[in-house]
Amino acid sequence: MQDAVVIGGGFYGSAIAVYLAKYRGLKNIILIEQESELLRRASYNNQARVHNGYHYPRSLITAYRSHINLIKFIDEYSSVIFRNTKMLYAIAKYSKTNAKQFVNFCKRIGIKIHPAETSQRSLFDQRLIEDVFLVEEYVFDTTKLLSWIENNLLKSHVSISLKSCVTSIHQEKNQNSIVNLITDQGVKKSISCRYIFNCAYSGINQFKGNLAGSVKNIKHEITELALIRPPKVIEGMGITVMDGPFFSILPFPIKKLHTLSHVRYTPHMSWVDKPEIDPYQKLESYKCNSHFNHMIRDAGKYLPIILDSSYIESMFE
């Protein structure tokens, strides 16, 4: 009998398992992950940005929550954060948010913002950019985050079941639940538990069974992050242009490269979630033809120097 079963060994599932042991006093916790290693899917294939609210000028609540939770994240995970990255936010002309609105928005939720240096402003095409700001935002290293997670799971005595896929969840009359899973060796197992935390991200609707209220409305997107080697002058720098074109170039510490994403070209296709559609099989069968050329051409209008970048590969998730 387990106190808790956590489904999904990404950042959220792993952090929740640590939290349950460390702060809630649960003794018997099992973390189930279908990959061969923790933090291998969306926790790896992302921008590695630690948001501080700048991204959300049209949603004060989202921005403020990003800001207050960044403080908590830095306190808990200080060892995984790159603090020396210079982060620039440029406001495009004819944007949905102008520079004055952006400054007032930042002041309203209490996040730091400073005018960019002359050398930083000169990187942009002034005909298309209204203003450029230096902000306080960070990126993290997933390998260091994984190390933190593994060490704390070990200290918390959380059991980890890798290469294991949950197939169904059943609630019993005594309010306990049964989690059924199958390993990569084809071995079927059933685990009785008091609590279930479903952190399976894209797969949260994929489990059969009778657990009431567990199905959520989800839209799936297959997305692309291009990995590039930028020119020396912006190496190690993070740049976001908003709020019309909305693209970002951010350091990706794991590979010592940068990611390039674009609001129009990063999403490739989408569908509404259905139990019979396995999102991971959908991704596996998708022909991952890169949109990099579209991304770089549009980014180059606003940030001409980015056209001197070298394309390395793309991550799809």
Side-chain angles (χ1 to χ4, degrees):
M1 174 75 177
Q2 296 289 325
D3 286 332
V5 170
V6 182
I7 305 169
F11 170 69
Y12 286 107
S14 301
I16 285 170
V18 171
Y19 171 82
L20 293 173
K22 198 171 180 180
Y23 298 106
R24 292 293 177 175
L26 275 64
K27 301 297 182 185
N28 300 307
I29 303 167
I30 184 166
L31 176 62
I32 301 173
E33 168 55 43
Q34 66 181 3
E35 300 295 327
S36 59
E37 190 178 6
L38 301 176
L39 275 64
R40 289 307 301 172
R41 300 298 310 227
S43 298
Y44 181 94
N45 295 323
N46 67 64
Q47 286 185 317
R49 186 200 298 268
V50 186
H51 282 280
N52 196 11
Y54 301 100
H55 238 54
Y56 309 107
R58 285 173 281 124
S59 178
L60 278 175
I61 292 175
T62 306
Y64 182 68
R65 290 188 65 173
S66 295
H67 174 54
I68 60 174
N69 283 298
L70 173 132
I71 297 168
K72 295 178 182 178
F73 187 87
I74 289 175
D75 183 56
E76 189 81 6
Y77 303 100
S78 59
S79 63
V80 313
I81 294 171
F82 274 63
R83 296 174 180 269
N84 297 327
T85 302
K86 287 188 177 180
M87 290 291 215
L88 300 178
Y89 271 68
I91 308 301
K93 289 181 179 177
Y94 317 112
S95 168
K96 294 178 181 179
T97 302
N98 63 40
K100 185 177 179 180
Q101 289 171 332
F102 186 66
V103 171
N104 289 337
F105 151 75
C106 291
K107 289 179 178 178
R108 190 171 176 185
I109 63 171
I111 52 180
K112 294 179 180 179
I113 183 169
H114 304 283
E117 299 168 5
T118 303
S119 61
Q120 295 165 342
R121 296 173 65 88
S122 67
L123 297 171
F124 300 88
D125 187 329
Q126 301 303 312
R127 296 169 298 177
L128 298 176
I129 296 295
E130 181 185 359
D131 213 339
V132 185
F133 302 97
L134 187 63
V135 303
E136 188 178 85
E137 209 169 53
Y138 308 101
V139 292
F140 64 89
D141 186 327
T142 307
T143 54
K144 291 183 178 181
L145 186 58
L146 175 60
S147 178
W148 188 100
I149 288 290
E150 288 178 332
N151 288 336
N152 279 273
L153 287 171
L154 184 63
K155 290 177 185 176
S156 303
H157 305 289
V158 174
S159 300
I160 303 171
S161 181
L162 298 173
K163 297 183 181 180
S164 301
C165 184
V166 172
T167 55
S168 63
I169 303 170
H170 297 273
Q171 191 166 22
E172 299 180 304
K173 291 181 180 179
N174 62 3
Q175 298 304 305
N176 289 334
S177 296
I178 299 291
V179 176
N180 295 307
L181 59 92
I182 185 168
T183 70
D184 65 327
Q185 302 295 319
V187 178
K188 295 180 180 180
K189 296 181 180 180
S190 295
I191 303 169
S192 179
C193 59
R194 292 168 59 202
Y195 303 110
I196 298 171
F197 293 83
N198 186 355
C199 307
Y201 198 58
S202 290
I204 67 171
N205 286 344
Q206 292 297 305
F207 311 130
K208 297 178 180 178
N210 65 349
L211 193 61
S214 60
V215 176
K216 304 299 177 187
N217 293 324
I218 295 175
K219 174 188 173 183
H220 291 275
E221 285 186 338
I222 291 179
T223 58
E224 175 188 6
L225 280 178
L227 288 172
I228 63 172
R229 183 168 286 111
K232 287 283 185 183
V233 68
I234 60 171
E235 200 172 81
M237 188 182 292
I239 298 171
T240 298
V241 176
M242 55 189 293
D243 182 15
F246 221 136
F247 63 88
S248 292
I249 303 104
L250 290 174
F252 193 64
I254 311 167
K255 295 198 172 185
K256 297 181 179 178
L257 296 169
H258 282 55
T259 57
L260 171 61
S261 61
H262 192 292
V263 70
R264 187 177 301 140
Y265 302 115
T266 282
H268 276 236
M269 65 170 294
S270 65
W271 68 94
V272 176
D273 191 55
K274 293 180 180 178
E276 63 271 19
I277 301 176
D278 185 326
Y280 300 108
Q281 289 181 1
K282 189 97 168 174
L283 175 62
E284 190 175 339
S285 63
Y286 179 68
K287 292 182 180 179
C288 298
N289 296 320
S290 177
H291 290 173
F292 169 72
N293 286 334
H294 297 294
M295 293 186 201
I296 198 74
R297 278 202 298 266
D298 194 61
K301 296 175 188 175
Y302 302 86
L303 186 69
I305 197 167
I306 197 67
L307 295 171
D308 294 330
S309 300
S310 301
Y311 172 69
I312 307 301
E313 59 180 323
S314 288
M315 301 186 296
F316 289 85
E317 189 57 273

